[in-house]
């Protein structure tokens, strides 16, 4: 579900502010009413005290206040505003009951006689009678009624200001988020941005860079594959054409056939390596892992490579110092060992040697392939693990290399959460250490 952030912030900000203002106005009104009530009762009290001594004949002249005298048993003796003949017994009026009990009483209620909301204050007189003064609530709240239109007007103006402010604040809040798009693309972007969003932006930026890097790698890989496939295919096609047109003698036919076989072999190795790489790319679970003895795998690889070693006049030595069992994919480890040993033989000198060690170093399961070969110059050492990177292309091709061997090794190492370390000196040899 998508929602418009701007609309949501705007609405919530507006409603929240309206709610706060309404709450504040309500609290102020309640406090105001309370103060007003206290003030009215205080006025009535003062009036009652002053009127205590005044004679009933004079009390008739007070028009603003309703003044009532009640006997101790509740019979109304005097009222300057109503006909006492029609008034019932007042003994149970709340203010009268209070006055009888504690000397004075007060309350706000609807008058039974006048049928209006009224403030009452009653006091006990010395002769046991009760004097009650009352004020019509309508005349007091009339003041409030007069200011209600002004309050409504002020409220509407405030509402308008809130709406305008909410829009302005929302725009300001949203702007840094809108700036995000530019910020993720342009590192030096000078537009303001929320500090809290920086980790998010950095993640996006890193992912963006990864995507670009991967796209570039894929492009390079496709270009390299096409190139690597094209060269042997062109040779095969050329030799086949010569044979087809009967343009060569028997010796040449044998030579060209050998070349066709050699190039086909190259194509096959290349395709096999590409398939292996793509299998490794798609493999991310450890379900195919098993515990096995590393020595078994290494000795089998050495057996497979004996012929190549002999052809290159290189001697292989395997030294096993400890029993090392690893939890790994047997096929992948065979590939890794084979590739490293094969390289150590192929990039070696006549009468060179390859030493292979299986041992525990500082409690870590370690596999080492060390050769006395041509070595790798420092500037190439980082890059030889890249796909199709070769220091000497012609030597690699001549010896049946595809340029993918170490890329496969690196991939297998990372899938096994192992580490790889290369030490090499040009002209002296190379040592590759894998720690499981
Ligand atoms: P290739 O199929 O060309 O051998 P790799 O990926 O196995 O491809 O190796 C990449 C490059 O690293 C090789 O072309 C070679 O130049 C260099 N290289 C690898 N192993 C060794 C080694 N043991 N001694 C010297 N150079 C090596």
């Amino acid at each position: 579900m998508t929602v418009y952030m701007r609309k949501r912030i705007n609405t919530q900000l507006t409603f929240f502010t309206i709610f706060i203002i309404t709450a504040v106005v309500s609290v102020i009104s309640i406090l105001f009413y309370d103060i007003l009530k206290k003030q009215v009762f205080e006025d009535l009290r003062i009036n009652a005290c002053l009127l205590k001594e005044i004679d009933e004949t004079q009390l008739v002249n007070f028009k603003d206040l309703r003044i009532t005298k009640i006997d101790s048993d509740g019979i109304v003796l005097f009222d300057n505003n109503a006909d006492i003949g029609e008034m019932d017994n007042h003994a149970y009026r709340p203010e009268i009951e209070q006055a009888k009990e504690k000397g004075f009483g007060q309350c706000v209620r609807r008058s039974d006689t006048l049928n209006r909301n009224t403030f009452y204050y009653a006091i006990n007189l010395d002769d046991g009678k009760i004097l009650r003064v009352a004020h019509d609530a309508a005349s007091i709240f009339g003041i409030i009624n007069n200011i209600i239109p002004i309050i409504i007007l002020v409220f509407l103006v405030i509402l308008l200001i809130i709406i305008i402010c909410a829009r302005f604040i929302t725009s300001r809040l949203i702007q840094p988020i809108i700036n995000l798009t530019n910020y993720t693309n342009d590192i030096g972007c000078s537009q303001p941005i929320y500090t809290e969003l920086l980790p998010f932006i950095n993640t996006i930026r890193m992912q963006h860079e990864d995507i670009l890097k991967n796209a570039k790698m894929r492009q390079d890989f496709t270009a390299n594959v096409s190139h690597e496939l094209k060269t042997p295919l062109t040779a095969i096609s050329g030799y086949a054409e010569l044979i087809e047109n009967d343009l060569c003698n028997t010796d040449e036919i044998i030579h060209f056939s050998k070349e066709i076989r050699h190039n086909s072999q190259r194509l096959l190795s290349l395709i096999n390596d590409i398939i292996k790489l793509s299998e490794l790319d798609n493999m991310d679970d450890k379900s195919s892992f098993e515990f096995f003895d590393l020595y078994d795998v290494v000795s089998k690889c050495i057996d497979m490579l004996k012929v190549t070693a002999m052809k290159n006049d290189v001697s292989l030595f395997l030294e096993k110092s400890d029993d090392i069992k690893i939890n790994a994919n047997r096929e992948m480890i065979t590939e890794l060992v084979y590739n490293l040993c094969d390289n150590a033989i192929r990039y070696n000198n006549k009468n060179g040697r390859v030493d292979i060690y299986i041992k525990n170093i500082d409690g870590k399961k370690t596999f080492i392939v060390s050769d006395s070969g041509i070595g790798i110059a420092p500037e190439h050492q980082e890059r030889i693990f890249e796909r199709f990177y070769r220091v000497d292309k012609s030597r690699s091709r001549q010896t049946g290399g595809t340029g993918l061997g170490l890329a496969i090794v690196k991939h297998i190492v990372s899938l096994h959460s192992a580490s790889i370390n290369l030490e090499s000196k040009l002209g002296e040899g190379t040592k590759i250490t894998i720690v499981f």
Side-chain angles (χ1 to χ4, degrees):
M1 189 185 77
T2 62
V3 281
Y4 285 106
M5 192 182 194
R6 183 188 292 270
K7 199 173 161 193
R8 188 175 243 197
I9 295 179
N10 201 357
T11 320
Q12 291 193 357
L13 206 64
T14 308
F15 278 118
F16 182 68
T17 322
I18 290 172
F19 169 74
I20 293 289
I21 290 181
T22 314
V24 169
V25 168
S26 308
V27 170
I28 289 176
S29 304
I30 291 167
L31 289 176
F32 181 68
Y33 174 73
D34 204 48
I35 292 168
L36 189 80
K37 213 163 89 175
K38 273 188 190 143
Q39 191 56 52
V40 171
F41 280 129
E42 180 59 16
D43 287 350
L44 288 175
R45 189 187 67 79
I46 293 167
N47 279 316
C49 289
L50 293 172
L51 297 170
K52 228 158 88 170
E53 310 300 335
I54 298 177
D55 191 50
E56 280 166 21
T57 48
Q58 286 173 292
L59 288 179
V60 182
N61 302 324
F62 288 88
K63 295 291 172 209
D64 291 344
L65 275 181
R66 183 176 164 209
I67 305 160
T68 316
K69 261 193 186 171
I70 299 135
D71 202 358
S72 57
D73 49 10
I75 295 165
V76 180
L77 303 171
F78 167 80
D79 195 298
N80 66 342
N81 247 323
D83 179 2
I84 57 168
E86 288 177 12
M87 291 170 75
D88 55 3
N89 192 297
H90 273 39
Y92 297 105
R93 297 287 194 272
E95 68 280 7
I96 307 296
E97 280 185 321
Q98 283 173 33
K100 273 201 248 170
E101 208 178 297
K102 49 179 186 169
F104 74 94
Q106 63 185 39
C107 88
V108 188
R109 61 178 174 77
R110 203 158 187 85
S111 161
D112 289 341
T113 315
L114 302 176
N115 200 21
R116 284 189 216 133
N117 265 338
T118 311
F119 285 85
Y120 290 104
Y121 190 90
I123 49 167
N124 254 347
L125 300 176
D126 299 336
D127 54 4
K129 292 176 187 162
I130 291 160
L131 174 75
R132 187 184 75 174
V133 285
H135 205 305
D136 185 1
S139 62
I140 294 161
F141 291 123
I143 309 164
I144 299 173
N145 283 344
N146 287 341
I147 59 168
I148 280 179
I150 302 168
I151 292 174
I152 292 173
L153 190 74
V154 170
F155 188 80
L156 288 177
V157 171
I158 290 175
L159 189 68
L160 191 73
I161 294 171
I162 288 169
I163 291 170
I164 294 169
C165 287
R167 276 176 171 269
F168 176 70
I169 292 168
T170 308
S171 290
R172 281 193 61 125
L173 285 173
I174 296 282
Q175 197 52 48
I177 295 166
I178 293 171
N179 293 345
L180 269 182
T181 331
N182 301 333
Y183 204 82
T184 41
N185 295 330
D186 175 13
I187 294 176
C189 179
S190 59
Q191 285 166 329
I193 202 85
Y194 290 126
T195 315
E196 291 85 344
L197 287 177
L198 280 178
F200 169 72
I201 295 167
N202 286 337
T203 311
I204 301 254
R205 198 179 274 162
M206 264 155 57
Q207 282 176 352
H208 183 67
E209 277 165 16
D210 272 358
I211 290 169
L212 290 181
K213 216 165 97 186
N214 283 342
K216 170 93 178 62
M217 262 170 62
R218 223 165 279 143
Q219 248 176 12
D220 290 351
F221 184 70
T222 318
N224 277 320
V225 167
S226 317
H227 179 75
E228 293 294 330
L229 289 175
K230 207 174 142 195
T231 320
L233 274 175
T234 314
I236 292 170
S237 157
Y239 292 131
E241 196 180 341
L242 286 174
I243 297 170
E244 187 189 8
N245 292 333
D246 209 9
L247 291 170
C248 34
N249 58 37
T250 321
D251 285 347
E252 282 172 331
I253 290 177
I254 292 172
H255 170 68
F256 292 158
S257 304
K258 259 189 192 163
E259 283 301 321
I260 289 175
R261 202 173 64 85
H262 171 74
N263 279 291
S264 307
Q265 210 79 53
R266 229 177 105 188
L267 277 178
L268 216 63
S269 309
L270 185 67
I271 290 165
N272 273 337
D273 277 356
I274 293 169
I275 292 171
K276 267 175 227 153
L277 262 179
S278 91
E279 278 172 0
L280 288 170
D281 276 342
N282 294 328
M283 190 153 170
D284 49 8
D285 74 314
K286 297 195 170 177
S287 57
S288 57
F289 281 27
E290 55 179 314
F291 271 104
F292 58 86
D293 195 338
L294 186 59
Y295 178 79
D296 283 351
V297 170
V298 177
S299 53
K300 269 181 200 147
C301 285
I302 288 176
D303 283 345
M304 286 191 273
L305 284 163
K306 261 182 187 149
V307 180
T308 322
M310 257 164 54
K311 270 191 203 163
N312 287 274
D313 286 328
V314 172
S315 318
L316 296 175
F317 300 94
L318 171 59
E319 190 186 312
K320 175 195 164 190
S321 314
D322 302 289
D323 266 340
I324 292 199
K325 284 204 169 20
I326 55 168
N327 181 29
N329 179 303
R330 189 187 282 268
E331 234 177 273
M332 284 191 211
I333 298 300
T334 308
E335 183 71 32
L336 174 145
V337 173
Y338 187 93
N339 281 354
L340 291 180
C341 296
D342 186 41
N343 279 354
I345 297 167
R346 287 192 294 119
Y347 299 106
N348 219 314
N349 300 313
K350 282 241 170 286
N351 301 318
R353 58 183 285 153
V354 176
D355 290 284
I356 301 154
Y357 304 96
I358 297 173
K359 53 180 163 183
N360 261 319
I361 300 178
D362 298 333
K364 288 177 180 156
K365 298 164 182 176
T366 311
F367 168 66
I368 301 170
V369 180
S370 171
D371 66 63
S372 58
I374 58 171
I376 306 159
E379 66 269 23
H380 298 294
Q381 290 183 9
E382 278 265 304
R383 301 204 60 194
I384 55 164
F385 294 96
E386 288 172 21
R387 295 173 182 193
F388 292 113
Y389 189 84
R390 286 173 275 204
V391 179
D392 180 350
K393 268 196 181 155
S394 63
R395 180 166 182 152
S396 162
R397 283 202 185 118
Q398 253 172 28
T399 55
T402 59
L404 293 174
L406 286 183
I408 292 175
V409 166
K410 196 180 164 192
H411 218 322
I412 295 173
V413 165
S414 115
L415 278 173
H416 285 82
S417 312
S419 69
I420 185 163
N421 181 48
L422 171 94
E423 292 162 67
S424 187
K425 250 192 183 159
L426 201 58
E428 285 185 22
T430 302
K431 181 178 166 191
I432 294 186
T433 309
I434 310 273
V435 179
F436 291 98

PDB file of all heavy atoms in Angstrom, residues 4 12 19 56 103 107 166 174 184 188 211 227 242 250 334 367 401 431-432:
ATOM      1  N   TYR A   4       0.818   8.947   0.234  1.00  0.00           N
ATOM      2  CA  TYR A   4       1.572  10.153  -0.052  1.00  0.00           C
ATOM      3  C   TYR A   4       2.092  10.743   1.247  1.00  0.00           C
ATOM      4  O   TYR A   4       1.311  11.118   2.119  1.00  0.00           O
ATOM      5  CB  TYR A   4       0.707  11.168  -0.791  1.00  0.00           C
ATOM      6  CG  TYR A   4       0.498  10.793  -2.229  1.00  0.00           C
ATOM      7  CD1 TYR A   4      -0.710  10.289  -2.674  1.00  0.00           C
ATOM      8  CD2 TYR A   4       1.537  10.939  -3.157  1.00  0.00           C
ATOM      9  CE1 TYR A   4      -0.889   9.928  -4.000  1.00  0.00           C
ATOM     10  CE2 TYR A   4       1.366  10.587  -4.480  1.00  0.00           C
ATOM     11  CZ  TYR A   4       0.151  10.087  -4.889  1.00  0.00           C
ATOM     12  OH  TYR A   4      -0.011   9.729  -6.192  1.00  0.00           O
ATOM     13  N   GLN A  12      -1.721  15.073   9.322  1.00  0.00           N
ATOM     14  CA  GLN A  12      -1.495  14.741  10.730  1.00  0.00           C
ATOM     15  C   GLN A  12      -1.054  15.971  11.525  1.00  0.00           C
ATOM     16  O   GLN A  12      -1.479  16.170  12.657  1.00  0.00           O
ATOM     17  CB  GLN A  12      -0.457  13.626  10.841  1.00  0.00           C
ATOM     18  CG  GLN A  12      -1.047  12.316  10.315  1.00  0.00           C
ATOM     19  CD  GLN A  12      -0.241  11.096  10.664  1.00  0.00           C
ATOM     20  OE1 GLN A  12       0.815  11.205  11.257  1.00  0.00           O
ATOM     21  NE2 GLN A  12      -0.732   9.945  10.276  1.00  0.00           N
ATOM     22  N   PHE A  19      -6.076  19.665  17.463  1.00  0.00           N
ATOM     23  CA  PHE A  19      -6.393  18.941  18.695  1.00  0.00           C
ATOM     24  C   PHE A  19      -5.769  19.663  19.900  1.00  0.00           C
ATOM     25  O   PHE A  19      -6.433  19.880  20.915  1.00  0.00           O
ATOM     26  CB  PHE A  19      -5.869  17.509  18.572  1.00  0.00           C
ATOM     27  CG  PHE A  19      -5.907  16.741  19.864  1.00  0.00           C
ATOM     28  CD1 PHE A  19      -7.113  16.278  20.381  1.00  0.00           C
ATOM     29  CD2 PHE A  19      -4.748  16.500  20.592  1.00  0.00           C
ATOM     30  CE1 PHE A  19      -7.156  15.595  21.581  1.00  0.00           C
ATOM     31  CE2 PHE A  19      -4.783  15.820  21.786  1.00  0.00           C
ATOM     32  CZ  PHE A  19      -5.994  15.359  22.288  1.00  0.00           C
ATOM     33  N   GLU A  56     -36.532  44.642  55.296  1.00  0.00           N
ATOM     34  CA  GLU A  56     -37.194  44.075  54.115  1.00  0.00           C
ATOM     35  C   GLU A  56     -37.845  45.133  53.241  1.00  0.00           C
ATOM     36  O   GLU A  56     -37.888  45.000  52.018  1.00  0.00           O
ATOM     37  CB  GLU A  56     -38.271  43.077  54.565  1.00  0.00           C
ATOM     38  CG  GLU A  56     -37.640  41.749  54.932  1.00  0.00           C
ATOM     39  CD  GLU A  56     -38.578  40.851  55.690  1.00  0.00           C
ATOM     40  OE1 GLU A  56     -39.795  41.045  55.602  1.00  0.00           O
ATOM     41  OE2 GLU A  56     -38.088  39.936  56.374  1.00  0.00           O
ATOM     42  N   GLY A 103     -23.725  27.382  58.513  1.00  0.00           N
ATOM     43  CA  GLY A 103     -23.742  28.852  58.569  1.00  0.00           C
ATOM     44  C   GLY A 103     -23.871  29.515  57.219  1.00  0.00           C
ATOM     45  O   GLY A 103     -24.390  30.616  57.088  1.00  0.00           O
ATOM     46  N   CYS A 107     -24.797  27.207  45.800  1.00  0.00           N
ATOM     47  CA  CYS A 107     -24.948  26.225  44.718  1.00  0.00           C
ATOM     48  C   CYS A 107     -25.429  26.902  43.443  1.00  0.00           C
ATOM     49  O   CYS A 107     -25.944  28.021  43.476  1.00  0.00           O
ATOM     50  CB  CYS A 107     -25.867  25.075  45.141  1.00  0.00           C
ATOM     51  SG  CYS A 107     -27.576  25.347  44.837  1.00  0.00           S
ATOM     52  N   ALA A 166       1.296  24.291   8.277  1.00  0.00           N
ATOM     53  CA  ALA A 166       1.484  22.847   8.109  1.00  0.00           C
ATOM     54  C   ALA A 166       2.007  22.546   6.705  1.00  0.00           C
ATOM     55  O   ALA A 166       2.913  21.730   6.523  1.00  0.00           O
ATOM     56  CB  ALA A 166       0.172  22.125   8.342  1.00  0.00           C
ATOM     57  N   ILE A 174       9.900  17.552   3.813  1.00  0.00           N
ATOM     58  CA  ILE A 174       9.983  16.617   2.688  1.00  0.00           C
ATOM     59  C   ILE A 174      11.202  16.901   1.800  1.00  0.00           C
ATOM     60  O   ILE A 174      11.788  15.994   1.229  1.00  0.00           O
ATOM     61  CB  ILE A 174       8.682  16.714   1.834  1.00  0.00           C
ATOM     62  CG1 ILE A 174       7.486  16.276   2.668  1.00  0.00           C
ATOM     63  CG2 ILE A 174       8.773  15.943   0.543  1.00  0.00           C
ATOM     64  CD1 ILE A 174       7.331  14.803   2.821  1.00  0.00           C
ATOM     65  N   THR A 184      22.045  10.347  -3.841  1.00  0.00           N
ATOM     66  CA  THR A 184      22.555   8.987  -4.049  1.00  0.00           C
ATOM     67  C   THR A 184      23.415   8.903  -5.307  1.00  0.00           C
ATOM     68  O   THR A 184      24.324   8.090  -5.394  1.00  0.00           O
ATOM     69  CB  THR A 184      21.405   7.954  -4.157  1.00  0.00           C
ATOM     70  OG1 THR A 184      20.383   8.537  -4.941  1.00  0.00           O
ATOM     71  CG2 THR A 184      20.870   7.582  -2.814  1.00  0.00           C
ATOM     72  N   GLY A 188      29.057  14.668  -4.211  1.00  0.00           N
ATOM     73  CA  GLY A 188      29.376  16.035  -3.763  1.00  0.00           C
ATOM     74  C   GLY A 188      28.149  16.945  -3.699  1.00  0.00           C
ATOM     75  O   GLY A 188      28.285  18.151  -3.680  1.00  0.00           O
ATOM     76  N   ILE A 211      25.987  -2.803  -8.377  1.00  0.00           N
ATOM     77  CA  ILE A 211      25.215  -3.160  -9.585  1.00  0.00           C
ATOM     78  C   ILE A 211      26.011  -2.751 -10.833  1.00  0.00           C
ATOM     79  O   ILE A 211      26.155  -3.516 -11.782  1.00  0.00           O
ATOM     80  CB  ILE A 211      23.820  -2.485  -9.572  1.00  0.00           C
ATOM     81  CG1 ILE A 211      22.963  -3.136  -8.497  1.00  0.00           C
ATOM     82  CG2 ILE A 211      23.135  -2.568 -10.926  1.00  0.00           C
ATOM     83  CD1 ILE A 211      21.673  -2.408  -8.187  1.00  0.00           C
ATOM     84  N   HIS A 227      35.600 -13.423 -27.373  1.00  0.00           N
ATOM     85  CA  HIS A 227      36.937 -13.362 -27.967  1.00  0.00           C
ATOM     86  C   HIS A 227      37.644 -14.717 -27.843  1.00  0.00           C
ATOM     87  O   HIS A 227      38.216 -15.228 -28.816  1.00  0.00           O
ATOM     88  CB  HIS A 227      37.737 -12.271 -27.256  1.00  0.00           C
ATOM     89  CG  HIS A 227      39.116 -12.142 -27.782  1.00  0.00           C
ATOM     90  ND1 HIS A 227      39.397 -11.552 -29.000  1.00  0.00           N
ATOM     91  CD2 HIS A 227      40.303 -12.543 -27.268  1.00  0.00           C
ATOM     92  CE1 HIS A 227      40.692 -11.603 -29.207  1.00  0.00           C
ATOM     93  NE2 HIS A 227      41.273 -12.191 -28.163  1.00  0.00           N
ATOM     94  N   LEU A 242      41.163 -25.552 -45.513  1.00  0.00           N
ATOM     95  CA  LEU A 242      42.339 -25.962 -46.296  1.00  0.00           C
ATOM     96  C   LEU A 242      42.239 -27.436 -46.668  1.00  0.00           C
ATOM     97  O   LEU A 242      42.474 -27.821 -47.814  1.00  0.00           O
ATOM     98  CB  LEU A 242      43.621 -25.710 -45.488  1.00  0.00           C
ATOM     99  CG  LEU A 242      44.061 -24.250 -45.347  1.00  0.00           C
ATOM    100  CD1 LEU A 242      45.243 -24.139 -44.409  1.00  0.00           C
ATOM    101  CD2 LEU A 242      44.421 -23.652 -46.712  1.00  0.00           C
ATOM    102  N   THR A 250      49.906 -34.761 -47.368  1.00  0.00           N
ATOM    103  CA  THR A 250      49.542 -35.627 -46.234  1.00  0.00           C
ATOM    104  C   THR A 250      50.110 -35.101 -44.914  1.00  0.00           C
ATOM    105  O   THR A 250      49.426 -35.093 -43.893  1.00  0.00           O
ATOM    106  CB  THR A 250      50.069 -37.059 -46.476  1.00  0.00           C
ATOM    107  OG1 THR A 250      49.909 -37.380 -47.840  1.00  0.00           O
ATOM    108  CG2 THR A 250      49.342 -38.065 -45.608  1.00  0.00           C
ATOM    109  N   THR A 334      38.485 -30.615  -5.083  1.00  0.00           N
ATOM    110  CA  THR A 334      39.307 -31.295  -6.084  1.00  0.00           C
ATOM    111  C   THR A 334      39.692 -30.291  -7.181  1.00  0.00           C
ATOM    112  O   THR A 334      40.854 -30.210  -7.611  1.00  0.00           O
ATOM    113  CB  THR A 334      38.520 -32.478  -6.713  1.00  0.00           C
ATOM    114  OG1 THR A 334      38.011 -33.287  -5.658  1.00  0.00           O
ATOM    115  CG2 THR A 334      39.395 -33.305  -7.634  1.00  0.00           C
ATOM    116  N   PHE A 367      46.449 -25.634   3.578  1.00  0.00           N
ATOM    117  CA  PHE A 367      46.906 -26.336   2.373  1.00  0.00           C
ATOM    118  C   PHE A 367      47.794 -25.355   1.593  1.00  0.00           C
ATOM    119  O   PHE A 367      47.397 -24.229   1.318  1.00  0.00           O
ATOM    120  CB  PHE A 367      45.672 -26.741   1.549  1.00  0.00           C
ATOM    121  CG  PHE A 367      45.994 -27.221   0.164  1.00  0.00           C
ATOM    122  CD1 PHE A 367      46.702 -28.406  -0.045  1.00  0.00           C
ATOM    123  CD2 PHE A 367      45.608 -26.487  -0.950  1.00  0.00           C
ATOM    124  CE1 PHE A 367      47.001 -28.842  -1.326  1.00  0.00           C
ATOM    125  CE2 PHE A 367      45.897 -26.914  -2.233  1.00  0.00           C
ATOM    126  CZ  PHE A 367      46.594 -28.097  -2.422  1.00  0.00           C
ATOM    127  N   GLY A 401      45.875 -23.100 -20.814  1.00  0.00           N
ATOM    128  CA  GLY A 401      45.160 -22.288 -19.807  1.00  0.00           C
ATOM    129  C   GLY A 401      43.956 -21.576 -20.412  1.00  0.00           C
ATOM    130  O   GLY A 401      43.914 -21.304 -21.611  1.00  0.00           O
ATOM    131  N   LYS A 431      53.987 -19.028  -3.902  1.00  0.00           N
ATOM    132  CA  LYS A 431      53.441 -19.887  -2.833  1.00  0.00           C
ATOM    133  C   LYS A 431      52.011 -19.433  -2.576  1.00  0.00           C
ATOM    134  O   LYS A 431      51.757 -18.267  -2.296  1.00  0.00           O
ATOM    135  CB  LYS A 431      54.287 -19.683  -1.585  1.00  0.00           C
ATOM    136  CG  LYS A 431      53.871 -20.527  -0.404  1.00  0.00           C
ATOM    137  CD  LYS A 431      54.831 -20.253   0.745  1.00  0.00           C
ATOM    138  CE  LYS A 431      54.282 -20.801   2.041  1.00  0.00           C
ATOM    139  NZ  LYS A 431      55.068 -20.322   3.181  1.00  0.00           N
ATOM    140  N   ILE A 432      51.085 -20.382  -2.725  1.00  0.00           N
ATOM    141  CA  ILE A 432      49.671 -20.046  -2.455  1.00  0.00           C
ATOM    142  C   ILE A 432      49.206 -20.846  -1.241  1.00  0.00           C
ATOM    143  O   ILE A 432      49.388 -22.068  -1.193  1.00  0.00           O
ATOM    144  CB  ILE A 432      48.792 -20.310  -3.688  1.00  0.00           C
ATOM    145  CG1 ILE A 432      49.200 -19.321  -4.809  1.00  0.00           C
ATOM    146  CG2 ILE A 432      47.308 -20.134  -3.350  1.00  0.00           C
ATOM    147  CD1 ILE A 432      48.357 -19.346  -6.046  1.00  0.00           C
TER     148      ILE A 432
END
